[in-house]
Amino acid sequence: MEISSLLLKVVFAVVMIVVVMTLAGYSVLIERKVSSWVQGRVGPNRTAIPWIHAIPVLGPFLTKLGIFQPLADGLKFLFKEEITPGHVNKVYYYLAPVIALVPALTTMVVIPFGQYTHPDTGVTHSLMLAPLDIGILFIFAVSSLGVYGVVLAGWSSNSKYSFLGSIRSSAQMISYELSMGLSVFPLLLWLNAPGVEGGLGLTAIVNYQENVWFIFIQPLSALLFLVAIFAETNRLPFDMAESETDLVGGFHTEYGCFKFGIFFVAEYAHIVIGSAVFALLFLGGWHFLPGIADPWPAGWLGAVLSTVWFLIKILALIVFFVLIRWTIPRFRYDQVMQLGWKVLLPLAIGNLILNAAILAFIDSP
Amino acid sequence: MAETKIVERKPLSLSERTYLPQIASGLKTTVSHIFKPSVTLQYPEERPPIPEGYRGVPTLVKDPNGREKCVSCQLCEFVCPPRAIRITPGEIVEGDEHEHVEKAPQEFEINMLRCIYCGLCQEVCPEEAIFLQDVYSLSGYSREELVNNKEKLYELGGTLPDEHFKWDKKKAAEEAALAGSHH
């Protein structure tokens, strides 16, 4: 009994990793495809697997969509010549991509991605790997460790471009972490308001949004969190890490082939997890629409449907990430700092105090 | 003294300073681009139209009678700045249909690794036998593959219309003179 349940956990974990990694890989494809459409191009459209391409209508359609492109990219990363510059600190140089990937993949254990209603008892469970009561704190704590990968990569590369890039992006990531944490506090205040069954778990947050999503109750929080997520994932307009005009490649200038690939996957895994957290916190998680909470039937079908709906939300957010990339130009570094410390942080604190005051007013007899 | 005109810059309104309406309208523009048809050319399948007088790969051409126009005068070889052209002159064998023509190249090579597409060979050719045509994409797996020999050059060049028929006229004149001497 003990061993079988342990084995089941391992299987679930592997499935989760596979899903998140695949999502990360295919969000690269989403990025390339949507970018090409925005720019009036066609994008990847000719990578084909022979026997799938031979299927009459479907095959060429999939090829045109570029479905097989991530496979080709991965293979290319695998078979490229492995280059290690002679002037680097080897141990930390190899450690950095791993450290960058680990937090991105660790945060996913506390992310609930759907719900399962027991057909007989009617009790609803959320589907997640580790039902932690402090889910959101765990995510903040672990995802901030991603900075170490960046710093280590930049420092061990022994190159000025890498070093400056890593310093810049670590300063940025740490600055935005503050407003990110503060922007979520009002949610937790409301969640633990008098008369509400509270907690810090993500399931509680999602269930609180059964009727109205948090993006409508707390639009300012949502905006702040969104901006912070963009900065945390080093996406444009905050991609200080690799602004190639002044830093060549940023902290991964000296990295090639699969080591660079791991950085790449980590970045996209970050985006996937960030989108998932945003969907959980502000878009009602797996709940269908505001007002229509759970049209999902009991049993496994409902579980699958709710998970798919959650995935659709994540994909929509990833597309949004890509669209923003082609909308806003990159900030100058001092503008990034100014926005982070002089605008976002005061706004987050003000929002927190305002919500606390409202709650105190409600609570006072 | 030029008059300096100072343009007053309007201070940004509050909505502009928050950036958000601007970002929203920018997003609208971005999204609208998704639904526009793509403007790129799918290169190997679709080729752009080549303008008249384009200087692509140099080629040798035949006249409408199917005769090689080159007489291996070697002017192009001499004028070629990167020395990409190499001609081995050859005689025209006795009894040939084109016996009246001076000479013909035995071998004609253009090294496309050296060619700079300057067009001087076309400019200098007295026979209008060498033309830079609209072939612009050539590649090969070895250096040898990129040395175009005579056969390849004629294959690329094909036949172009000829207005002069210089050697036909010479032949006609010779025949006329020969016929005249009988009188």
Side-chain angles (χ1 to χ4, degrees), chain B residues 56-60 110 112 115 117 121 130-133 148 153:
Chain B
V57 171
T59 60
L60 288 177
I110 302 182
M112 290 317 298
C115 176
Y117 301 85
C121 46
I130 187 164
F131 276 93
L132 270 65
Q133 292 193 18
N148 290 343
L153 287 169

Side-chain angles (χ1 to χ4, degrees), chain B residues 58-61 69-89 104-111 114-132 148 150 153-154:
Chain B
T59 60
L60 288 177
V61 297
K69 286 172 96 177
C70 176
V71 294
S72 68
C73 68
Q74 292 177 298
L75 274 180
C76 51
E77 190 177 355
F78 292 135
V79 83
C80 181
R83 301 194 177 181
I85 301 179
R86 175 146 303 159
I87 300 173
T88 314
Q106 195 184 346
E107 186 47 84
F108 197 118
E109 281 180 353
I110 302 182
N111 188 342
R114 295 188 137 226
C115 176
I116 56 169
Y117 301 85
C118 63
L120 283 184
C121 46
Q122 176 183 347
E123 208 68 28
V124 82
C125 183
E127 300 287 332
E128 300 192 352
I130 187 164
F131 276 93
L132 270 65
N148 290 343
K150 195 170 105 175
L153 287 169
Y154 276 117

Side-chain angles (χ1 to χ4, degrees), chain A residues 34 36-43 45-46 223 320 322-324 326-328 331 335 339, chain B residues 19-20 22-23 25-28 30-31 33-40 42-45:
Chain A
V34 175
S36 71
W37 291 334
V38 168
Q39 294 174 329
R41 299 184 283 117
V42 178
N45 63 341
R46 49 194 65 197
L223 182 71
F320 178 72
V322 177
L323 289 180
I324 284 289
W326 299 112
T327 302
I328 313 174
F331 284 118
Q335 291 171 331
L339 184 67
Chain B
Y19 291 116
L20 294 176
Q22 263 62 33
I23 290 175
S25 69
L27 260 179
K28 215 177 95 192
T30 311
V31 173
H33 274 276
I34 290 184
F35 302 105
K36 286 180 185 165
S38 56
V39 293
T40 46
Q42 294 300 295
Y43 170 64
E45 292 93 32

Side-chain angles (χ1 to χ4, degrees), chain A residues 138-211:
Chain A
F138 181 84
I139 286 178
F140 284 158
V142 174
S143 72
S144 61
L145 293 179
V147 177
Y148 285 104
V150 173
V151 173
L152 214 53
W155 174 73
S156 69
S157 288
N158 200 4
S159 144
K160 289 183 180 63
Y161 295 123
S162 306
F163 186 67
L164 286 172
S166 77
I167 290 297
R168 274 164 60 143
S169 62
S170 59
Q172 170 196 318
M173 283 160 98
I174 291 168
S175 311
Y176 280 76
E177 202 111 292
L178 275 172
S179 34
M180 185 164 154
L182 283 173
S183 69
V184 178
F185 280 174
L187 268 61
L188 301 175
L189 280 183
W190 281 101
L191 201 63
N192 295 294
V196 184
E197 189 191 344
L200 285 174
L202 286 161
T203 316
I205 296 179
V206 172
N207 284 333
Y208 187 86
Q209 304 175 70
E210 253 180 342
N211 297 315

Side-chain angles (χ1 to χ4, degrees), chain A residues 282-296:
Chain A
F282 295 102
L283 298 181
W286 55 84
H287 289 312
F288 187 57
L289 284 173
I292 317 163
D294 295 308
W296 321 121

